[in-house]
Amino acid sequence: MKRPHNVTDQQLAILGVLWDRGETTANEIHAALARSAGFARGTVGTMLHRLERQGIVSHRAEGREFLYRARVARQDVMEARLDGLVGALFGGDLTAMVSFAVSKSDTRKEDIDRLRKMLAERQDRKGRK
């Protein structure tokens, strides 16, 4: 299977529908994305076919329709995409990415407090190992 972070943003939108709904038809995916992403019906079919070739999506026939489902977990795709982003933009330096994110002028105090709490919890878990 192709690494899940190699999916395009359009394919990621389709996967989002599949993760939310479990198993669904191409028509239902199109209906869910037509307004927000402006997907044509044919685009959805093409993307599903490409995702299936990559082993990221599978389908089964039910009557005259195909029901599609994701074969990769949302968490796996998120981790792979984040690894790719950190590698491409920050040379693999996670600290540099976090530093960049919190240095933005619109970072709220609540966000910084949550980060501190998460880091403290992570440190506690590592200390117990």
Side-chain angles (χ1 to χ4, degrees), residues 3 5 11 15 44 70 92 97 106 124:
R3 287 197 31 108
H5 75 276
Q11 291 170 330
L15 283 169
V44 171
M97 185 200 72
D106 62 347
D124 287 348

Side-chain angles (χ1 to χ4, degrees), residues 4 7-17 19 51 77 81:
V7 298
T8 66
D9 290 344
Q10 288 181 323
Q11 291 170 330
L12 191 58
I14 289 170
L15 283 169
V17 174
W19 287 321
L51 288 166
V77 173
R81 296 266 319 227

Side-chain angles (χ1 to χ4, degrees), residues 1 14-15 18-19 22-26 29 44-45 47-62 65-73:
M1 174 186 346
I14 289 170
L15 283 169
L18 292 172
W19 287 321
E23 198 174 51
T24 192
T25 67
I29 294 168
V44 171
M47 294 294 141
L48 285 167
H49 180 71
R50 289 177 183 164
L51 288 166
E52 192 161 24
R53 261 197 344 245
Q54 294 171 10
I56 295 171
V57 164
S58 65
H59 79 272
R60 68 178 178 86
E62 186 172 280
E65 290 194 294
F66 287 157
L67 292 172
Y68 292 89
R69 69 176 181 85
R71 294 187 60 211
V72 295

